Amino acid sequence: MIFQSVLSLFVSFFCASLASARTHTFNFTTGWVTANPDGVHERKMIGFNGHWPVPDIHVNKGDRLEVYLTNGFEDGASTSLHFHGMFHNISDGNSIQMDGPSMVTQCPILPGRTYLYNFTVGDQVGTYWYHAHSGSQYGDGMRGAFIIHDDDEPFEYDEEMVIQLSELYWKPYYTVTDEFLTRYNPTGAEPIPQNLLFNNTLNATLDFEPGKTYLLRFINSGLFVSQYVAFESHNFTIVEIDGVYVKPNTTNLLYLTTGQRVSALVKAKEQDPHKNFALMQIMDEVMLDVIPPELVLNRTHEISYNKEYGKPEDFIVNDFKEAANEFFLTTFDEVELYDDYDVQITFDIRMDNLGDGVSYAFFNNVTYVHPKVPTLTTVLTSGKYANDSRIYGDNINPYVFQRGEIIEVVLNNYDPGKHPFHLHGHNFQIVQQSPGFREDGDYSPDQQDEITVRYNESAPLMPFPEKPALRDTVLLQPNGHVVLRFKADNPGIWFFHCHVDWHLTQGLASVFIEDPFALQKANILSENYKDICSAAGILNVGNAAGHSDDWFNMDGLPRQPNPLPTGFTAKGYIAFVLSTLVALWGLYSIADYGLTEVIPDDQKVYDTLKKVLDENNIAY
Ligand SMILES: *[C@@H]1O[C@H](CO)[C@@H](O)[C@H](O)[C@H]1NC(C)=O
Ligand SMILES: *[C@@H]1O[C@H](CO)[C@@H](O)[C@H](O)[C@H]1NC(C)=O
Ligand SMILES: *[C@@H]1O[C@H](CO)[C@@H](O)[C@H](O)[C@H]1NC(C)=O
Ligand SMILES: *[C@@H]1O[C@H](CO)[C@@H](O)[C@H](O)[C@H]1NC(C)=O
Ligand SMILES: *[C@@H]1O[C@H](CO)[C@@H](O)[C@H](O)[C@H]1NC(C)=O
Ligand SMILES: *[C@@H]1O[C@H](CO)[C@@H](O)[C@H](O)[C@H]1NC(C)=O
Ligand SMILES: *[C@@H]1O[C@H](CO)[C@@H](O)[C@H](O)[C@H]1NC(C)=O
Ligand SMILES: *[C@@H]1O[C@H](CO)[C@@H](O)[C@H](O)[C@H]1NC(C)=O
Ligand SMILES: *[C@@H]1O[C@H](CO)[C@@H](O)[C@H](O)[C@H]1NC(C)=O
Ligand SMILES: *[C@@H]1O[C@H](CO)[C@@H](O)[C@H](O)[C@H]1NC(C)=O
Ligand SMILES: *[C@@H]1O[C@H](CO)[C@@H](O)[C@H](O)[C@H]1NC(C)=O
Ligand SMILES: [Cu+2]
């Protein structure tokens, strides 16, 4: 009897989901499109099929997505696409080849090639996004919202609005990257954007009607800065973060790091207010090493009840500490904290110069360098060796997990920067999240050790939350720490990295290989996968160095540059480059020197500088 009713329940559930699940097919060909996102500076953006912005994608729970991504770049750039927050759960079919990061779960797609991203969204619901996972391409517009609608949302609203927060650089990503990752930028100062963007434009107007409730889905799809959002005379009630429903929490100020999503209900005024209101978008200026005087740090958008009421004034935010704090949000389902861990990984995060003079980012003194073959290829072709982290190459910070283990990741920040850490394939519980301990204005590399407050397990700074926040991207504060836990219940190859894309470019990443034998059982490399690799001249078998005769032979493994020569400290190197620069310009003091101005628009000054530095044979 019981068996029968369970069976019929199962059958009806199965039929219902089968009947409603749809497949959404897209053909996207990448290419440069002339646009003027901020109305100030025309530039080329990365669009699909000749259009920019690229479309938002809306699906329902359980649906399948088939995206044919064709590389249409004519400048030789390779590409790939990642659906941020998707679990690609092995139990929903085998889609680990669809996660997107280049050289982790696929090869770079070369011009003229097409790769199919084909996966179901499984049980996942809420606010996600998709973006390029090759170089910093997404900053130039190769990103869109990805919304999974749910008939059973635990809240009600009349209309939804999807809003991407990002920033704009006027120069193309490859130029900004080149200017960032050079020995002429020895402190690793992040490139300063020229503008904020709100849903890919500068000024926006959102129409409100009295009496209605709106669901505002915010996505920080930027490369770099965190952003605050403040609403004049209206409150936000947070109901979802990163695809996880939370106990409603009301606030006037939201904070989103890059990669994060926050959905909030906003109740419009009951009666016609006879005025319009300001929705403020504000850059977290603490993240900027220098603030150029012309940079506009906040933008005012109009919540329009009636066009005739005129534009709203700025809404002033007095205390940014009032922003909703992710650590205190509780999941709607009140999921309890994993009470212990099986495996603990501690990452000390540092930024420093290596022998080529460039500033790199490190987990435990290792900066991520792409292996010769994607880690997925190594997992699927290494047979019994797949359980041994040594075959993945020490320069990717690899960790192998067994199914069911509770993993605790401790991040200690020996850097005065903010870092939003993102894990592919999982949500994690936020077990500890310290405040920042940065001493303003102090960037001296050799003082970081004194300032930094590491996680001390026997004396945690925060009480352990009984029902912790759960999400896929978390903020690590300057010189502080965070502690995360998740269960290794999703076999895969999961990239764990800082979502400040400049820091990822500097190598702030690790790769988690979860239950490799389950992956081997469920997967073979598809013909499409192998073709893409072959076209790029990448082997379809082998360890991180491309060897398959001896799985522990690491000859030819791509490695990080050597350290600075002994006696040539990072601090000395920075001082030398700075004094050379200062001597050249003769006008600036080191203190207020704008480092991103190191590469001035004036090409002649740049060339002279280069020559002087080369003649002095600084870095090698
Ligand atoms: C998309 O591309 C595929 C393969 O290139 C092709 O078979 C299909 O007809 C295209 N579909 C649409 C809707 O353009
Ligand atoms: C945005 O608003 C500012 C200030 O009101 C105005 O100067 C600018 O022209 C507007 N830009 C666009 C693209 O609408
Ligand atoms: C996508 O994957 C599903 C499940 O494996 C398969 O049935 C379908 O044919 C695939 N779609 C394409 C276009 O290959
Ligand atoms: C933001 O832009 C997307 C398309 O890029 C659009 O679908 C969406 O409605 C816009 N959001 C608002 C609030 O206008
Ligand atoms: C916003 O929430 C605060 C605190 O809950 C409350 O005091 C205030 O009245 C609310 N404001 C509006 C406009 O609803
Ligand atoms: C916006 O920036 C201006 C200066 O750029 C500042 O005066 C103003 O207080 C800021 N407003 C908010 C809400 O932060
Ligand atoms: C809402 O968030 C604040 C901190 O931002 C926290 O103190 C409070 O406990 C939260 N309330 C609920 C119901 O989650
Ligand atoms: C990393 O380097 C620092 C400074 O050189 C050193 O103190 C530390 O012990 C190293 N850490 C690891 C995990 O190797
Ligand atoms: C994989 O390695 C782990 C840890 O070294 C070990 O406990 C486990 O038994 C290994 N699994 C297999 C199937 O060899
Ligand atoms: C960690 O905390 C314990 C308990 O307060 C203390 O005895 C110990 O010295 C601390 N460890 C470090 C490295 O600070
Ligand atoms: C993956 O699916 C399994 C089986 O349904 C489930 O137990 C596990 O929680 C899922 N993991 C994730 C990260 O979705
Ligand atoms: Cu970072």
Side-chain angles (χ1 to χ4, degrees), residues 518-572:
L519 287 170
Q520 289 180 351
K521 275 196 205 104
N523 278 272
I524 50 159
L525 295 175
S526 75
E527 289 307 313
N528 189 202
Y529 179 103
K530 289 192 281 189
D531 287 348
I532 292 295
C533 292
S534 302
I538 295 167
L539 293 171
N540 282 313
V541 59
N543 66 13
H547 302 290
S548 48
D549 44 354
D550 172 2
W551 286 88
F552 299 100
N553 176 1
M554 285 296 156
D555 287 352
L557 181 72
R559 307 199 68 94
Q560 66 195 58
N562 290 325
L564 280 166
T566 31
F568 215 129
T569 63
K571 204 180 164 199

Side-chain angles (χ1 to χ4, degrees), residues 280 282 295-298 314-317 320:
M280 301 294 299
I282 304 159
L295 181 65
V296 178
L297 296 170
N298 57 60
D314 278 18
F315 171 64
I316 302 301
V317 175
F320 289 104

Side-chain angles (χ1 to χ4, degrees), residues 388-407:
D388 192 322
S389 68
R390 288 174 296 172
I391 69 169
Y392 302 110
D394 51 17
N395 257 116
I396 71 163
N397 288 306
Y399 291 86
V400 178
F401 301 142
Q402 310 304 315
R403 178 93 70 118
E405 285 174 341
I406 306 294
I407 313 300

Side-chain angles (χ1 to χ4, degrees), residues 3-76:
F3 173 73
Q4 236 172 23
S5 56
V6 168
L7 187 72
S8 70
L9 197 72
F10 176 75
V11 167
S12 63
F13 172 75
F14 187 70
C15 291
S17 55
L18 203 66
S20 59
R22 275 187 57 199
T23 297
H24 306 257
T25 304
F26 296 92
N27 281 3
F28 290 151
T29 300
T30 66
W32 292 99
V33 181
T34 301
N36 194 340
D38 61 357
V40 183
H41 187 90
E42 189 174 89
R43 55 155 299 176
K44 50 182 194 172
M45 298 294 285
I46 300 176
F48 290 152
N49 310 333
H51 295 284
W52 182 85
V54 304
D56 288 354
I57 297 178
H58 291 260
V59 306
N60 289 317
K61 185 173 167 177
D63 285 358
R64 176 172 292 278
L65 215 64
E66 292 177 351
V67 177
Y68 292 90
L69 182 74
T70 300
N71 182 337
F73 292 126
E74 283 160 7
D75 55 9

